[in-house]
């Protein structure tokens, strides 16, 4: 079991791991990755268990059934919170981070098998967003000597970002999808068509299915949903991902509408808690196609509010606002209006572009939410809802510059939760309040006190990466660079891979003189995010210091291809020309750099040095003076003295 393959004559793939079907109708988000992981992870756990454990979060998000084999060793209060206590949701980019980790796992496994592996993914034109993002990264990063990919598609409509990577060296080719089931029909074709999720390419199968009465078709879907539900419900190793794809599909087409609504709602809830927001919206629409506000207002609202959260996370505030409007128009439930008022307030505060934000309107809306929360007859629910809404009010007050009032609201919320709400229910929200309090303290009391508050938050939720990342920035401001490096390292260790902590750690390591380690961090940034221009800038500068001018030049040109007017890269291009004995070319590049950014002290200093070398002492002197006016530098002052003496 695992990735297997070899090269036949002429380099064609002689062995293929797969096929792995990419159509999310099978298993919802990460259908293709799920199939790969179910084949791969048992073998990895057997031979290299540390490799699987290093990617526990990624594996369990893409293949939840593997929880019977693998424990999440990096749980957070967010990941462990019950659905009805969830007050924090993942950023949309987390899908990118999960894809990075899955790619790391697959490539490491293929390399440990000795390379020469091949992977077949079918229906890449139908991939869910999660699979598309993962596969795009895998295709981009795969060394064809280690892993090559065969992709099949029924159309040319492959979505971004995968479509932009199809010319990568690791892709053997993208071909038309094969006929799935051959050419011969049989009396069981209708049942077979249902078992194949109505995806078969043979017209006889579809014809057999469509010849049945609607009631007979519904019974076939009922039977298949029941069969798959048995597979999903097994105590050990139940295929839980079927609950996200095939089972809801069959329930929708079966005879029990209530069962269909439940299946879709459960899948939507699962996707929301894991940050699979495209699927949250798609599933919500499918729920709303089966229920209406008059007949099942609770289910209509639950589907709607999940969609609003997803739209906000995906930077689609207008779509969220339209859903809030529709819900309030259909419902007089105080809870619906309370949550909608809060949601609208956050759109006006956080999610609209700057020119559309309206803090005054946001404050009015969130005060409405606070007022409605205070009317709840249940004491614990009243305390919890009031605290939740006042947390939003504190954010608005902070943006309005009323930091003292923001601090008061957070402190009173913490005290209220401690006194009036059971710990088990309020644990995550208590941590969120403490985190917000630490952020406010950083504004009003300075970094040293804020570090103390972040340390308390980390003690209660030690696997949340944001806390380490933000405390590292405070430690850096305090000059405690070794501790900041340790915090960036912790952020890297507790989360799926993302570039920012590597970039910040690389910057600190460079300042500490550990140039090789800093280069390694910037290389990791560019592996994860090849358009991260500042990483090209920093790595190129370090490579130049290390005497690797050729590598530095490749970074400079790669960065300038992404951002032709980057002043720092133009300056580095000038230094590289100088390194190769081309002062005239260096002058052109440096003049371009200071034309883009006339505040670039290093650009003026280097231009002055080049002009002096070319014999233009007057202009050289003026450039050096300009550099010193921007930033004092003893080397530049010595060069100016030399230019003046000349």
């Amino acid at each position: 079991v695992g990735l297997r393959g070899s090269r036949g004559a002429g380099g064609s793939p002689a062995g293929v791991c797969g096929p792995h079907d990419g159509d999310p109708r099978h298993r919802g988000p990460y259908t293709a990755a799920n199939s790969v992981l179910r084949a791969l992870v048992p073998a990895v756990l057997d031979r290299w268990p540390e490799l699987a454990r290093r990617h526990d979060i990624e594996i369990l998000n893409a293949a939840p059934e593997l929880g019977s084999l693998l424990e999440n060793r990096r749980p957070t209060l967010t990941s462990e919170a019950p659905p009805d206590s969830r007050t924090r949701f993942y950023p949309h980019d987390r899908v990118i981070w999960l894809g990075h980790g899955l790619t790391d796992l697959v490539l490491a496994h293929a390399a440990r098998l000795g390379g020469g592996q091949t992977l077949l993914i079918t229906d890449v034109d139908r991939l869910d967003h999660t699979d598309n993002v993962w596969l795009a990264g895998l295709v981009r990063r795969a060394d064809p000597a280690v892993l090559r990919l065969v992709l099949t598609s029924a159309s040319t409509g492959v979505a971004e970002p995968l479509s932009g990577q199809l010319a990568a060296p690791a892709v053997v080719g993208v071909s038309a999808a094969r006929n799935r089931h051959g050419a011969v029909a049989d009396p069981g074709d209708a049942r077979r068509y249902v078992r194949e999720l109505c995806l078969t390419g043979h017209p006889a199968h579809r014809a057999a299915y469509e010849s049945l009465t609607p009631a007979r078709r519904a019974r076939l879907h009922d039977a298949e949903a029941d069969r798959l539900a048995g597979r999903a419900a097994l105590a050990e190793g139940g295929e839980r991902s079927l609950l996200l794809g095939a089972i809801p599909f069959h329930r929708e087409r079966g005879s029990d509408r209530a069962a269909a609504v439940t299946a879709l709602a459960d899948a939507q809830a699962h996707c929301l808690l894991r940050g699979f927001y495209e699927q949250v919206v798609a599933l919500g629409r499918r729920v709303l196609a089966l229920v209406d506000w008059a007949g099942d207002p609770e289910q209509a609202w639950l589907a709607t509010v999940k969609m609003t959260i997803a739209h906000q996370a995906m930077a689609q505030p207008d779509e969220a606002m339209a859903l809030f409007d529709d819900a309030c128009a259909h419902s007089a439930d105080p809870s619906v209006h309370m949550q909608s008022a809060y949601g609208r307030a956050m759109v006006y505060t956080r999610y609209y572009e700057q020119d559309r934000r309206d803090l005054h309107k946001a404050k009015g809306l969130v005060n409405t939410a606070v007022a409605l929360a205070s009317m709840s007859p249940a004491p614990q629910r009243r305390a919890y809802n009031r605290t939740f809404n006042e947390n939003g009010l504190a954010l608005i007050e902070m943006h309005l510059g009323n930091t003292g009032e923001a601090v008061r609201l957070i402190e009173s919320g913490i005290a209220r939760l401690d006194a009036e709400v059971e710990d088990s229910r309020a644990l995550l929200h208590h941590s969120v309040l403490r985190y917000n309090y630490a952020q406010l303290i950083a504004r009003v009391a300075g970094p040293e006190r804020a570090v103390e508050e972040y340390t308390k938050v980390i003690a209660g939720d030690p696997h949340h990466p944001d806390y380490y990342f933000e405390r590292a920035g405070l430690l850096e401001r305090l000059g405690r660079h070794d501790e900041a490096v340790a915090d960036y390292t912790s952020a890297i260790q507790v989360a799926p891979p993302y570039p920012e902590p590597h970039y910040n750690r690389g910057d600190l390591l460079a300042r500490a003189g550990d140039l090789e380690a800093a280069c390694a961090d910037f290389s990791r940034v560019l592996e994860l995010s090849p358009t991260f221009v500042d990483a090209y800038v920093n790595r190129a500068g370090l490579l130049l210091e290390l005497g690797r001018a050729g590598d530095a030049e490749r970074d400079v040109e790669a960065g300038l291809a992404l951002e032709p007017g980057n002043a720092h890269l133009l300056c580095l291009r000038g230094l590289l020309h100088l390194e190769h004995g081309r002062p005239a070319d260096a002058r052109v590049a440096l003049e371009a750099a200071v034309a883009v950014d006339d505040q670039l002290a290093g650009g003026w200093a280097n231009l002055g040095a080049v002009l002096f070398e070319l014999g233009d002492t007057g202009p050289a002197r003026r450039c050096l003076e300009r550099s010193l006016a921007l930033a004092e530098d003893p080397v530049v002052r010595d060069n100016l003295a030399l230019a003046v003496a000349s």
Side-chain angles (χ1 to χ4, degrees), residues 597-606 623 626-628 630-631 636:
D597 183 1
D598 66 356
Q599 303 298 302
L600 190 62
W604 287 110
N606 289 317
C623 288
R626 173 65 173 154
S627 177
L628 288 169
L630 293 167
V636 176

Side-chain angles (χ1 to χ4, degrees), residues 214-560:
R216 181 75 183 279
R217 288 200 297 268
R219 285 197 295 273
L220 287 177
H221 284 290
D222 287 340
E224 184 62 10
D226 291 342
R227 185 182 74 84
L228 294 176
R231 285 170 54 184
L234 293 174
E236 291 294 328
E239 296 179 57
R240 291 166 53 197
S241 56
L242 293 170
L243 295 166
L244 309 176
I247 291 173
F249 172 82
H250 289 301
R251 293 296 185 206
E252 280 178 289
R253 288 152 183 80
S255 61
D256 188 339
R257 176 169 289 202
V261 171
T262 298
L264 290 165
D266 289 348
Q268 188 193 28
H270 174 99
C271 292
L272 178 69
L273 296 180
R274 284 151 187 81
F276 305 153
Y277 296 121
E278 283 81 2
Q279 282 279 8
V280 170
V281 171
L283 288 161
R285 289 172 179 161
R286 289 160 68 184
V287 172
L288 293 177
L290 297 177
V291 304
D292 58 49
W293 286 94
D296 194 345
E298 181 179 2
Q299 197 60 259
W301 168 243
L302 289 174
T304 297
V305 73
K306 290 177 176 63
M307 294 166 69
T308 67
I309 294 167
H311 281 305
Q312 290 175 67
M314 294 189 291
Q316 298 168 351
D318 287 330
E319 289 85 343
M321 286 296 238
L323 287 169
F324 285 130
D325 289 345
D326 187 62
C328 290
H330 280 98
S331 176
D333 187 327
S335 179
V336 169
H337 284 265
M338 178 189 71
Q339 294 179 67
S340 295
Y342 178 88
R344 287 174 170 137
M346 291 302 101
V347 169
Y348 280 115
T349 305
R350 300 176 58 191
Y351 297 110
Y352 274 148
E353 295 293 332
Q354 193 63 43
D355 62 342
R356 296 181 66 191
R357 291 186 182 179
D358 189 332
L359 296 176
H360 181 73
K361 187 173 288 187
K363 189 171 179 179
L365 285 163
V366 87
N367 277 332
T368 298
V370 171
L372 289 167
S374 69
M375 297 169 63
S376 173
Q380 287 202 41
R381 170 57 65 181
R382 182 170 62 246
Y384 185 88
N385 285 344
R386 180 181 172 187
T387 301
F388 179 86
N389 288 299
E390 286 188 350
N391 181 45
L393 180 58
L395 175 67
I396 296 166
E397 295 287 11
M398 183 189 73
H399 282 295
L400 288 168
N402 304 326
T403 51
E405 176 62 8
V407 169
R408 186 196 70 77
L409 286 165
I410 296 294
E411 288 177 338
S412 64
I414 292 170
R416 188 181 304 112
L417 286 184
D418 287 343
E420 301 180 40
V421 182
E422 293 176 3
D423 286 346
S424 60
R425 176 168 179 77
L427 198 57
L428 174 60
H429 193 44
H430 194 284
S431 177
V432 170
L433 289 172
R434 282 286 181 191
Y435 172 49
N436 292 347
Y437 186 67
Q439 292 177 305
L440 283 168
I441 291 299
R443 287 173 174 250
V444 302
E448 191 150 359
R449 171 76 191 287
V451 165
E452 296 175 6
E453 294 301 325
Y454 272 99
T455 300
K456 294 175 186 176
V457 176
I458 289 170
D461 196 3
H463 297 126
H464 196 290
D466 291 356
Y467 303 156
Y468 293 104
F469 186 86
E470 292 176 25
R471 188 176 69 173
L474 296 167
L475 291 166
E476 187 175 344
R477 285 169 57 190
L478 292 168
R480 294 157 62 178
H481 289 179
D482 288 347
E483 293 172 78
V485 167
D487 265 4
Y488 286 128
T489 300
S490 294
I492 291 165
Q493 291 171 341
V494 300
Y498 68 114
E500 286 77 11
H502 287 280
Y503 180 84
N504 288 10
R505 187 176 71 175
D507 184 57
L508 281 174
L509 291 170
R511 281 190 263 163
D514 194 346
L515 304 191
E516 293 287 357
C519 268
D521 262 331
F522 294 131
S523 295
R524 179 61 166 163
V525 171
L526 291 168
E527 181 178 53
L528 300 177
S529 180
T531 59
F532 203 124
V533 173
D534 286 348
Y536 282 113
V537 173
N538 289 4
R539 189 172 70 174
L542 295 177
L543 291 169
L544 191 56
E545 283 190 62
L546 290 166
R548 296 164 57 184
D551 292 335
E553 189 164 6
R554 281 188 285 275
D555 272 3
V556 167
E557 298 310 314
L560 286 171

Side-chain angles (χ1 to χ4, degrees), residues 25-348:
R25 192 175 289 184
H26 290 277
R27 294 173 184 269
Y30 286 118
T31 285
N34 178 291
S35 179
V36 172
L37 292 170
R38 283 184 293 113
L40 179 151
V41 169
V44 174
L45 281 169
D46 184 52
R47 298 184 65 181
W48 305 292
E50 83 290 346
L51 179 59
R53 291 171 188 147
R54 190 185 315 151
H55 298 289
D56 50 1
I57 294 173
E58 301 95 297
I59 292 169
L60 295 174
N61 272 273
E65 48 269 89
L66 294 175
S68 62
L69 302 178
L70 181 68
E71 177 188 6
N72 178 10
R73 299 190 303 167
R74 298 175 287 173
T76 64
L77 292 178
T78 303
S79 68
E80 300 300 297
D84 63 347
S85 299
R86 190 72 172 269
T87 56
R88 171 191 280 144
F89 297 93
Y90 295 120
H92 191 217
D93 282 354
R94 187 170 183 264
V95 166
I96 300 174
W97 305 358
L98 294 172
H100 292 323
L102 293 173
T103 292
D104 286 344
L105 171 65
V106 171
L107 293 180
H109 182 240
R112 292 188 186 198
L113 291 177
Q117 309 302 308
T118 305
L119 183 62
L120 169 60
I121 307 290
T122 65
D123 294 321
V124 296
D125 55 326
R126 300 177 184 172
L127 295 175
D128 171 80
H129 175 72
T130 54
D131 268 331
N132 188 294
V133 168
W134 160 64
L135 196 55
L138 179 62
V139 165
R140 174 177 60 80
R141 290 174 51 193
D143 178 350
V146 175
L147 178 70
R148 299 181 73 183
L149 291 106
V150 179
L151 310 176
T152 73
S153 168
S155 72
T156 58
V158 179
E160 288 287 355
L162 178 58
S163 64
Q165 301 296 331
L166 295 181
V171 178
V172 175
V174 183
S175 61
R178 68 203 182 286
N179 185 323
R180 293 168 181 263
H181 301 297
V184 179
D186 62 56
D189 282 342
R191 183 175 289 105
R192 184 174 183 179
Y193 186 69
V194 169
R195 283 208 167 191
E196 294 295 333
L197 295 161
C198 306
L199 292 169
T200 179
H202 197 295
H205 297 172
R206 180 166 186 160
Y209 173 79
E210 292 180 346
S211 70
L212 301 177
T213 64
R216 181 75 183 279
R217 288 200 297 268
R219 285 197 295 273
L220 287 177
H221 284 290
D222 287 340
E224 184 62 10
D226 291 342
R227 185 182 74 84
L228 294 176
R231 285 170 54 184
L234 293 174
E236 291 294 328
E239 296 179 57
R240 291 166 53 197
S241 56
L242 293 170
L243 295 166
L244 309 176
I247 291 173
F249 172 82
H250 289 301
R251 293 296 185 206
E252 280 178 289
R253 288 152 183 80
S255 61
D256 188 339
R257 176 169 289 202
V261 171
T262 298
L264 290 165
D266 289 348
Q268 188 193 28
H270 174 99
C271 292
L272 178 69
L273 296 180
R274 284 151 187 81
F276 305 153
Y277 296 121
E278 283 81 2
Q279 282 279 8
V280 170
V281 171
L283 288 161
R285 289 172 179 161
R286 289 160 68 184
V287 172
L288 293 177
L290 297 177
V291 304
D292 58 49
W293 286 94
D296 194 345
E298 181 179 2
Q299 197 60 259
W301 168 243
L302 289 174
T304 297
V305 73
K306 290 177 176 63
M307 294 166 69
T308 67
I309 294 167
H311 281 305
Q312 290 175 67
M314 294 189 291
Q316 298 168 351
D318 287 330
E319 289 85 343
M321 286 296 238
L323 287 169
F324 285 130
D325 289 345
D326 187 62
C328 290
H330 280 98
S331 176
D333 187 327
S335 179
V336 169
H337 284 265
M338 178 189 71
Q339 294 179 67
S340 295
Y342 178 88
R344 287 174 170 137
M346 291 302 101
V347 169
Y348 280 115

